Amino acid sequence: VADQLKFALCKEFVAYLRAHEMTQLELAKKLQVDPARISEIVKYKIDLFTIDRLLELLEKLNPKIKVTVA
C-alpha cells in the first residue's frame, strides 16, 4: 500500500510538470531541491523517498492538496 501511494504521489509531480509546461530544472528551483531529486521522482524511484517527503514537496506546489487512502 505504501508503494502504491508513493507511485501515485510521483504521478502528481509528472502531471504538474505537464500541466504547467515546466522543465524538471524549473520545478527543482521552485521547490528548492536538487534537480536530481526531481529526476528521481518523475522516474518513479519510489524506494528513494518517504511518503512524508513526497507529500511535503507536493504541498509546496498545491497547499490545498488532499490525499485519501482507500
Side-chain angles (χ1 to χ4, degrees):
V1 173
D3 284 352
Q4 289 173 336
L5 179 54
K6 288 184 197 179
F7 187 88
L9 293 172
C10 289
K11 197 172 179 180
E12 290 296 319
F13 286 95
V14 174
Y16 186 90
L17 283 171
R18 288 187 180 143
H20 292 85
E21 298 181 355
M22 296 178 81
T23 66
Q24 291 179 25
L25 181 60
E26 290 169 331
L27 184 58
K29 287 179 181 177
K30 182 177 179 90
L31 294 174
Q32 299 175 327
V33 297
D34 189 294
R37 304 264 76 194
I38 299 302
S39 178
E40 292 163 352
I41 290 171
V42 301
K43 290 179 181 172
Y44 297 93
K45 295 188 176 181
I46 59 175
D47 55 317
L48 301 178
F49 296 92
T50 63
I51 292 169
D52 287 345
R53 181 63 176 144
L54 291 170
L55 280 173
E56 176 187 321
L57 292 172
L58 263 180
E59 285 175 345
K60 287 183 180 180
L61 297 177
N62 181 1
K64 296 178 181 176
I65 193 165
K66 299 282 185 232
V67 177
T68 57
V69 180

